Amino acid sequence: MEGDDGDFPPESSEHSHSQRGSVASSVTRAQDLLVYLASDSAVHLTLEGLGCMNAQELGRNVREALNIPNSAVDVFAFWFCSPLLDLQLKPKHLPYKLCRQWQDLLYRFTEAPAEDISQDEPSLVFKRNVFYSKSKELQIEDEGVLRLLYDEAKVNILEGRYPCDPEHWLILGALSCAIELGTGLDDQALTAAIREKKLSSFLPAHAALGGGGFLSTLRGRGGRNAEMEQNLIKEYRSVCSSAATGSHQEPIALLHQYLRSCHTLPYYGCAFFMGEIDKPAQGLLHRGGRKAVSVGISLEGVYVMDVKEKHVLLGLKFSELSWDHSYPETEGDSHILWLEFDGEEAGMPVNKLLKIYSKQAELMSGLIEFCVELRSVGESAAAGTDGEVTPSQEPSGRETNEKTRERRQGKLRRQNSVVCSRVHSLNTISYVDDGKEIKRLKPKRAASFFTRQAQPPTYSAVQVTESLEQG
């Protein structure tokens, strides 16, 4: 992932002669290259000097092949994607060289077995740049660019990477029908088209295929699908009636509507990383274990999601957290990304630490830092300052702090929506600093435990100490 310079290790001679993924092995002659899109289609290019061509130069060729205007140069980026790891390339990166280093990257950033690593091959994918803002995205009027963004957003919705509630994915499914099938179908034609393409082409897999369980077994999958078809058709009628009275640029208007609806999901446009968190101790023996999570990081914040249940466990804006990462100290220890945020125990304000175990902790920490810096630069430019807080920007004492805490606690309170945080279900460390050592559940608050945070933070936290509590 983009972040610090020197992200990746030098090329290993052990793998220097292997052909990896969609990049050919020759450096000197004209080479064939497949660049994949989010829709699984591919752009076939034949290029000379591919071995020394950086991502920025390669991007010009892909944009030309796709007829993408120069005004959209920052919308997309190159990614190396495989079942084991996704990495966004910087403009200066050499795709050919990084492809030949892929096994080294997998050893560094994944826990995959050696056999899986030896067989893994990345694809070079042209998709959304994680650093492109949502506000700029809605200003795009080129239909080809909008369709590429739509294809990627739709894949993330259908695969459950963007968790959303039933009423939300139903609207998105209806918009997909209108975009892909047109707005002039009657109910019979629409039903036939949906069944031909399958319901899972428009609704998330876990929704279209059913969640299993006793009740769904009694009802049968066929009955569930028929009900969802009817709901989708009803929503399609609503979308079509709105389109008929709306803009004459129907395809562009529908694409904008789809993307705008996706923008309400706070993790839209995130880069995703895999990790694990501790489960709360349960039962008489207080057995815990770990739970697989997906960590999404964008220009706006950090989102921890339950991979199995497809819902958000914790969502934090950068102003609501401090963070750090730690390396293994002894064999058997894990790389850890630490997230610190406000919480409450027995009615008392405390600081909470969430440990995310992942060999990608270094990448996550670097991306958070880079996003915080980008936001700081953008906000300073908008305010006309050099990053200093002006008197009008300063918190106005205790009253403002209390309002900020109340507003944030409202966001963290559990709701039925899959988008809302479920802090109560997390196994976190709650603590304050009494000046000597970290202690749990003490009614006292001071400065931040971590030095890495957005400035100025909108929450109180404990003072920096020399070591982290590992318990």
Side-chain angles (χ1 to χ4, degrees):
M1 193 63 236
E2 287 203 21
D4 302 332
D5 290 335
D7 291 336
F8 307 128
E11 183 175 351
S12 170
S13 59
E14 181 180 352
H15 309 298
S16 61
H17 300 293
S18 63
Q19 178 175 328
R20 306 297 303 158
S22 53
V23 181
S25 59
S26 172
V27 179
T28 56
R29 59 181 172 80
Q31 302 150 56
D32 291 331
L33 174 69
L34 285 179
V35 178
Y36 290 91
L37 306 176
S39 61
D40 267 350
S41 59
V43 179
H44 186 184
L45 300 174
T46 301
L47 301 171
E48 294 185 356
L50 181 61
C52 55
M53 185 178 294
N54 63 29
Q56 184 174 20
E57 295 167 331
L58 183 58
R60 296 192 191 101
N61 290 277
V62 174
R63 289 195 300 274
E64 182 179 348
L66 294 173
N67 295 316
I68 293 177
N70 291 331
S71 58
V73 64
D74 296 326
V75 180
F76 302 102
F78 287 106
W79 294 66
F80 271 135
C81 300
S82 85
L84 301 182
L85 184 65
D86 290 355
L87 292 174
Q88 179 176 316
L89 277 60
K90 297 180 181 180
K92 68 179 182 180
H93 278 147
L94 304 177
Y96 176 82
K97 179 181 178 181
L98 285 182
C99 194
R100 292 166 65 89
Q101 295 178 357
W102 190 247
Q103 290 186 2
D104 300 304
L105 296 174
L106 294 180
Y107 278 114
R108 180 174 176 182
F109 295 122
T110 77
E111 302 280 2
E115 182 179 357
D116 292 350
I117 288 177
S118 66
Q119 297 177 1
D120 189 70
E121 294 190 2
S123 296
L124 186 61
V125 183
F126 190 68
K127 63 178 186 174
R128 193 184 188 280
N129 179 0
V130 71
F131 303 117
Y132 195 73
S133 70
K134 292 188 287 189
S135 59
K136 289 183 179 180
E137 188 172 287
L138 291 180
Q139 298 172 16
I140 297 172
E141 295 295 334
D142 184 89
E143 184 176 343
V145 174
L146 290 172
R147 283 192 178 274
L148 290 174
L149 292 169
Y150 159 76
D151 287 340
E152 182 175 345
K154 180 187 173 186
V155 167
N156 284 325
I157 292 292
L158 296 184
E159 293 182 351
R161 184 170 268 194
Y162 290 167
C164 56
D165 296 313
E167 60 271 20
H168 198 165
W169 49 247
L170 197 61
I171 293 173
L172 292 173
L175 284 167
S176 288
C177 288
I179 291 169
E180 298 176 21
L181 305 175
T183 57
L185 299 181
D186 59 28
D187 288 0
Q188 184 176 357
L190 178 60
T191 300
I194 290 174
R195 290 178 179 176
E196 181 180 357
K197 296 194 72 171
K198 295 186 179 179
L199 200 59
S200 58
S201 297
F202 302 103
L203 300 178
H206 63 280
L209 298 178
F214 181 68
L215 292 179
S216 63
T217 300
L218 288 179
R219 293 178 60 189
R221 182 174 296 175
R224 175 182 171 84
N225 283 359
E227 179 183 351
M228 291 174 55
E229 276 183 8
Q230 291 305 309
N231 291 337
L232 187 59
I233 291 171
K234 181 180 179 181
E235 196 63 46
Y236 170 83
R237 288 278 156 253
S238 176
V239 167
C240 291
S241 62
S242 299
T245 58
S247 171
H248 65 282
Q249 294 179 304
E250 182 179 287
I252 291 179
L254 289 171
L255 291 166
H256 273 153
Q257 190 176 348
Y258 190 97
L259 293 174
R260 192 179 296 111
S261 184
C262 287
H263 287 186
T264 63
L265 300 171
Y267 28 81
Y268 174 82
C270 278
F272 290 93
F273 305 85
M274 299 308 298
E276 293 181 327
I277 61 173
D278 292 316
K279 292 181 179 179
Q282 296 178 339
L284 295 176
L285 299 179
H286 297 283
R287 289 176 176 172
R290 292 183 183 177
K291 172 186 295 189
V293 295
S294 173
V295 182
I297 300 173
S298 71
L299 288 172
E300 299 179 359
V302 180
Y303 306 91
V304 182
M305 287 167 271
D306 190 311
V307 172
K308 181 180 179 181
E309 300 297 333
K310 308 296 184 186
H311 61 215
V312 175
L313 295 170
L314 180 67
L316 297 168
K317 301 290 187 182
F318 289 129
S319 60
E320 297 173 327
L321 64 87
S322 292
W323 83 98
D324 209 338
H325 77 278
S326 57
Y327 296 93
E329 295 183 358
T330 61
E331 187 175 351
D333 286 352
S334 301
H335 295 257
I336 297 175
L337 177 72
W338 300 81
L339 298 180
E340 179 195 60
F341 56 97
D342 270 353
E344 189 175 279
E345 294 282 353
M348 296 184 298
V350 297
N351 299 104
K352 287 184 173 290
L353 274 178
L354 178 65
K355 297 195 295 184
I356 302 175
Y357 305 92
S358 174
K359 288 191 75 172
Q360 298 171 24
E362 180 183 1
L363 292 175
M364 289 187 268
S365 179
L367 180 56
I368 293 172
E369 185 165 10
F370 193 70
C371 288
V372 167
E373 290 175 358
L374 283 180
R375 286 183 62 86
S376 177
V377 170
E379 291 169 359
S380 297
T385 69
D386 293 326
E388 297 181 358
V389 181
T390 64
S392 62
Q393 295 170 309
E394 290 178 353
S396 56
R398 180 175 179 179
E399 180 180 354
T400 301
N401 289 336
E402 290 297 325
K403 289 182 178 179
T404 300
R405 183 177 300 131
E406 289 175 7
R407 182 169 64 251
R408 185 167 60 254
Q409 288 177 348
K411 289 182 180 179
L412 297 179
R413 193 177 301 121
R414 182 178 184 182
Q415 301 181 27
N416 292 328
S417 171
V418 300
V419 178
C420 296
S421 296
R422 290 159 170 78
V423 178
H424 76 286
S425 68
L426 297 175
N427 185 5
T428 58
I429 301 170
S430 301
Y431 69 93
V432 295
D433 185 3
D434 67 355
K436 296 180 181 179
E437 60 181 344
I438 297 299
K439 290 189 176 181
R440 298 172 187 265
L441 305 183
K442 291 285 185 178
K444 182 179 179 181
R445 304 163 69 75
S448 175
F449 185 72
F450 299 124
T451 57
R452 308 175 81 168
Q453 58 183 229
Q455 296 293 336
T458 59
Y459 76 105
S460 302
V462 299
Q463 294 179 353
V464 178
T465 59
E466 294 183 357
S467 62
L468 288 170
E469 179 177 355
Q470 300 289 332

